[in-house]
Amino acid sequence: SRSSLGGTSSIDNVMALAIHSDEQVSSVFKALCQFLLETCEALLSSNFEHDLADAHVTIHELEAAGIKIELLVGTRRNETQTETTREQLPSKNGRLDPVVTSQLSMKSGDKPAHHESAMVLDSRFAFLKKKIFLLRIWYANSLQLFHELKGLVQRKMDVYASICEYIYSIKLASDPNGMKLMSLPSISLSSSITRQDHKMVRAVRVDDESRCEASILSQLQLLEQERDTSAWQDSSVHIKSDAKGLNEEVFITQLAVRSQAIDAFFQLHVESILQSHSVATDLANSPTNSSKSVFNCHFQDGVVGDVCFYRAPLKSRERMREKVLEYVADEYPNWPLVGYILDAVRCSVVVKDAGQLLEVLSWLQDPACGVTVCKVKNRYARDAQVLDGYRDLSVHVHFKGQNGLSIIGEIQLH
């Protein structure tokens, strides 16, 4: 990733200067920092008008509502400033890597070309994650550059949150189906199967052997702590979550292995439910190596509309440990706490409006569809607590795969 921005040795030299020198940071380092921040702003802004089009909202509407969108659109630098910044940057053979220049061909504020697809726009964010964010320079000068990036992202997130709230309070509230969606409870249970250790699921299995293993791991943790009191203070690997101090790592492993074994079956089954309501799969928008599929589905009002299906990655063991620690802090009552994690396998379904979302929910609630809805978490509800304006309808379903294994998975409806 460092070689993508002008050569490894040049970047390392600048970083060494920034990290190890007691002198004032060089103009070259400042230019590199400015370039990286402007690159991040350009890539984070490139999807903006595409996002608005998907949400059926115009810039004029947002401005009339008093939402300051200039942080998302960005500002153009003039050519003189651009060339000056690039000349100050370290380079390889006198020029920046063509990967960088091609990704920056659309500066902040530029409109995406008409032919650019969502896949092209998504590739910009992938470039940001896989190239720019992996540079070690973010750790220089006591994370100063990282904190500047964090501030930039937060300012953009604040604007997006304002846009989401506008869509929710104005657009959704004026739609009869939107009002119906908003009136649904924030949490509803439709089955007794609400944990991964339920006897019908057994993605987490609490038996004599696993209890013994959990107890042994807890004892080993105590012995390690006695040898080195600092060894475990920052570790979330070994978690004591119940009154007896039994360790959860055994059950985290069980759920991680089960989700890995059943995920492909789960994803294919959810796709098959959508396929059963579709005219045909739009193969042009569904390459075999893509995490997205598009279905042209029939809806009750006679409309045929696109339903986008997105496969999501498995929940990592690290994230499971973090969730268990959150459950400890919130004093969740039943052990093992891993049993509360219902999104180890997950996917997303995106539709045009609230009416279509409610109809897709009815497809999942049909007993003939092959999954059992256990719990629905409605972040569109009026009393729902949301973060940064994010809303969805999370449907937790009990799924039994062709391999005979079961799990509770999550289908997010947007």
Side-chain angles (χ1 to χ4, degrees):
S1 58
R2 285 174 286 142
S3 62
S4 296
L5 287 175
T8 302
S9 60
S10 298
I11 293 288
D12 283 342
N13 289 338
V14 175
M15 288 177 60
L17 174 65
I19 297 172
H20 300 296
S21 175
D22 293 331
E23 300 175 2
Q24 185 178 6
V25 178
S26 69
S27 60
V28 176
F29 179 73
K30 290 181 179 179
L32 178 60
C33 291
Q34 183 64 24
F35 176 75
L36 286 175
L37 289 174
E38 290 171 351
T39 298
C40 292
E41 181 172 11
L43 294 174
L44 288 170
S45 300
S46 62
N47 278 20
F48 174 60
E49 292 190 18
H50 183 270
D51 292 339
L52 289 187
D54 281 348
H56 307 285
V57 180
T58 66
I59 291 178
H60 177 72
E61 282 182 81
L62 299 178
E63 290 175 336
I67 298 175
K68 299 179 180 180
I69 63 170
E70 56 267 19
L71 284 174
L72 297 181
V73 176
T75 56
R76 280 195 183 89
R77 297 172 297 159
N78 60 52
E79 283 299 317
T80 303
Q81 183 180 356
T82 302
E83 292 304 319
T84 301
T85 302
R86 292 192 178 198
E87 287 174 3
Q88 291 176 309
L89 290 174
S91 59
K92 187 174 184 179
N93 299 325
R95 57 183 299 184
L96 288 172
D97 190 280
V99 174
V100 178
T101 55
S102 65
Q103 291 292 337
L104 295 180
S105 59
M106 186 170 73
K107 307 293 192 304
S108 296
D110 288 349
K111 293 183 178 180
H114 177 72
H115 65 275
E116 279 195 301
S117 65
M119 190 182 305
V120 173
L121 293 172
D122 289 345
S123 71
R124 297 181 183 279
F125 187 66
F127 175 79
L128 192 68
K129 290 195 303 181
K130 296 179 181 179
K131 295 289 185 178
I132 305 296
F133 284 167
L134 295 184
L135 293 171
R136 288 188 294 157
I137 196 171
W138 300 111
Y139 299 95
N141 288 348
S142 301
L143 299 175
Q144 178 181 346
L145 189 60
F146 170 77
H147 289 302
E148 290 188 44
L149 173 64
K150 185 177 179 181
L152 170 67
V153 172
Q154 186 60 58
R155 289 191 294 274
K156 290 181 178 292
M157 285 298 299
D158 290 343
V159 180
Y160 267 117
S162 298
I163 294 173
C164 290
E165 186 58 32
Y166 169 79
I167 294 172
Y168 178 77
S169 60
I170 303 299
K171 295 278 191 177
L172 196 64
S174 62
D175 176 7
N177 285 314
M179 294 178 65
K180 182 178 179 180
L181 178 60
M182 294 166 69
S183 66
L184 294 178
S186 57
I187 299 289
S188 59
L189 303 177
S190 53
S191 170
S192 62
I193 304 175
T194 58
R195 287 176 52 89
Q196 299 287 12
D197 59 346
H198 190 278
K199 63 182 181 180
M200 298 294 292
V201 182
R202 292 183 53 80
V204 171
R205 298 165 299 284
V206 182
D207 50 27
D208 291 343
E209 288 83 1
S210 59
R211 284 181 178 274
C212 180
E213 291 168 345
S215 177
I216 291 172
L217 285 178
S218 297
Q219 293 172 27
L220 290 174
Q221 176 184 352
L222 291 174
L223 290 173
E224 189 67 27
Q225 285 177 319
E226 291 175 1
R227 285 196 292 267
D228 183 359
T229 56
S230 64
W232 299 91
Q233 62 184 6
D234 296 324
S235 175
S236 61
V237 175
H238 295 269
I239 302 163
K240 292 187 294 182
S241 63
D242 76 329
K244 298 179 181 178
L246 293 181
N247 190 287
E248 293 261 1
E249 190 67 20
V250 172
F251 307 106
I252 290 174
T253 298
Q254 288 179 358
L255 184 56
V257 172
R258 174 63 59 88
S259 61
Q260 187 175 9
I262 204 171
D263 182 57
F265 296 100
F266 175 77
Q267 305 290 340
L268 288 172
H269 188 81
V270 177
E271 279 190 288
S272 72
I273 296 173
L274 301 178
Q275 177 72 61
S276 68
H277 293 273
S278 70
V279 179
T281 306
D282 188 349
L283 296 177
N285 290 332
S286 307
T288 55
N289 61 345
S290 172
S291 62
K292 173 183 176 182
S293 298
V294 180
F295 301 91
N296 293 117
C297 292
H298 287 287
F299 292 95
Q300 289 179 352
D301 56 6
V303 172
V304 176
D306 283 349
V307 175
C308 297
F309 171 81
Y310 295 89
R311 303 162 191 82
L314 295 171
K315 201 175 199 72
S316 68
R317 297 189 190 202
E318 180 180 359
R319 181 58 185 146
M320 289 182 189
R321 294 173 188 128
E322 291 174 355
K323 291 299 294 183
V324 168
L325 289 174
E326 291 175 14
Y327 298 151
V328 171
D330 292 340
E331 298 183 350
Y332 276 51
N334 296 323
W335 180 88
L337 298 180
V338 182
Y340 288 107
I341 298 177
L342 305 182
D343 61 346
V345 296
R346 57 265 177 96
C347 59
S348 294
V349 178
V350 181
V351 294
K352 180 181 178 180
D353 55 35
Q356 293 184 0
L357 187 148
L358 290 170
E359 191 163 345
V360 172
L361 174 62
S362 72
W363 298 347
L364 298 175
Q365 293 172 329
D366 183 351
C369 79
V371 298
T372 301
V373 174
C374 306
K375 175 182 176 182
V376 177
K377 186 173 184 179
N378 181 20
R379 291 188 177 89
Y380 294 105
R382 291 186 176 90
D383 60 345
Q385 296 182 350
V386 298
L387 179 64
D388 289 329
Y390 175 81
R391 296 180 188 270
D392 69 8
L393 194 74
S394 295
V395 185
H396 297 111
V397 299
H398 176 215
F399 169 72
K400 186 173 183 179
Q402 296 175 357
N403 51 14
L405 300 177
S406 291
I407 199 167
I408 299 175
E410 181 181 81
I411 306 172
Q412 296 178 358
L413 304 185
H414 303 267

